Amino acid sequence: MFQFTFEEPSDQQSVELVRCSLKARENSHSPYSKLRVGASIRAVGGQIFNGCNIESCSYSPTICAERVAVASAVAAGYTQFEAIAISSDLKDAITPCGVCRQFMREFSRDLPILLVRSDGMVCRTDLTELLPGSFGPDSLEQPHRAA
């Protein structure tokens, strides 16, 4: 089971990513759950892309903040990432859902993840810890059984 241990962000890049994720959450469209989520991902090279959760009244088309941030980066031509910060209105940190974990795995096996509380304190983890034994693009490179 994952244990939360919180600390203040210690380096300038983490501080900036945390600040961006907290700000991104302000743009959340969450009229049904009332849970605002923001995510900011830093691409290799330093560019930051933000996302917020966008809910739909039919629920299924709802998209999480993490996928919005990653998709924004990919749409701009970036597919290699240094870290992502994820924040919400919850008292404790929120973790990415299973779909978001798998979506991020498409681009990184061990992406550093900052789980951000509303007060800006962070829990550092990575995708390897949150999605152990994951299936990724490299899995498709393994030999296939002949049909």
Side-chain angles (χ1 to χ4, degrees), residues 1-131:
M1 174 121 180
F2 186 77
Q3 295 294 320
F4 290 107
T5 303
F6 291 95
E7 60 187 31
E8 287 188 28
S10 53
D11 59 275
Q12 188 54 38
Q13 286 190 331
S14 294
V15 169
E16 181 181 26
L17 211 54
V18 166
R19 182 185 56 75
C20 287
S21 76
L22 290 167
K23 181 142 182 64
R25 135 190 108 155
E26 295 173 10
N27 294 325
S28 169
H29 176 74
S30 48
Y32 310 107
S33 72
K34 309 289 191 251
L35 176 63
R36 300 179 311 160
V37 181
S40 297
I41 193 162
R42 182 185 309 278
V44 170
Q47 299 82 351
I48 295 176
F49 296 89
N50 300 309
C52 61
N53 57 322
I54 305 167
E55 295 178 351
S56 169
C57 64
S58 62
Y59 296 105
S60 184
T62 294
I63 186 167
C64 300
E66 300 92 313
R67 284 183 282 147
V68 172
V70 171
S72 294
V74 172
Y78 296 90
T79 57
Q80 294 182 331
F81 304 108
E82 295 177 354
I84 188 168
I86 306 160
S87 62
S88 76
D89 291 328
L90 295 177
K91 179 184 170 205
D92 225 345
I94 194 167
T95 61
C97 73
V99 172
C100 287
R101 293 174 195 202
Q102 185 63 51
F103 193 75
M104 290 185 288
R105 174 60 178 90
E106 181 68 21
F107 304 99
S108 175
R109 176 186 301 273
D110 57 356
L111 181 68
I113 300 172
L114 302 175
L115 305 175
V116 184
R117 287 193 322 208
S118 294
D119 63 3
M121 297 290 279
V122 300
C123 176
R124 294 178 183 276
T125 188
D126 62 47
L127 200 51
T128 303
E129 186 169 15
L130 295 182
L131 192 64

